Amino acid sequence: MLTRYMGMAPKNQSYLFTFGFVLTLLGMALTDMWLPMVAGAIILAGLTVESWIRVAHIIPMHNEMRAMQKQIHKLQSEIRTLEYDE
């Protein structure tokens, strides 16, 4: 969707989008101007879902990939030293 604002932690950003979405839904329910707020609610719903997916799945996946890369580099260096010793 949109590029994440880098000055805010991803979890805080997902809380912010969720809070904004709830406020938009409350505004739609409590005022007569609900029709103009529909576009904002749709956009915030998308941002909220995308940010929670990032927090729950994408960030942990990136951390696991970094850990696997470190393991791969370590194993490759061990293989090189074993080949060099022979």
Side-chain angles (χ1 to χ4, degrees):
M1 271 196 131
L2 298 174
T3 304
R4 186 176 70 82
Y5 174 63
M6 299 304 283
M8 185 182 291
K11 196 166 195 172
N12 290 338
Q13 188 175 20
S14 56
Y15 288 141
L16 177 70
F17 288 147
T18 303
F19 181 68
F21 180 65
V22 169
L23 283 180
T24 304
L25 291 179
L26 281 173
M28 288 170 59
L30 298 174
T31 65
D32 292 335
M33 295 190 55
W34 67 272
L35 191 58
M37 297 176 94
V38 170
I42 292 170
I43 292 169
L44 276 172
L47 289 171
T48 301
V49 168
E50 190 249 348
S51 66
W52 280 110
I53 288 173
R54 177 183 292 126
V55 168
H57 299 288
I58 295 175
I59 292 173
M61 180 184 61
H62 281 265
N63 293 338
E64 288 179 28
M65 287 174 49
R66 281 190 206 108
M68 285 193 301
Q69 284 289 347
K70 287 179 184 178
Q71 289 177 347
I72 288 171
H73 289 300
K74 181 181 173 188
L75 289 172
Q76 285 175 344
S77 67
E78 287 178 12
I79 289 172
R80 285 189 199 112
T81 57
L82 287 175
E83 289 175 349
Y84 179 74
D85 290 341
E86 292 178 359

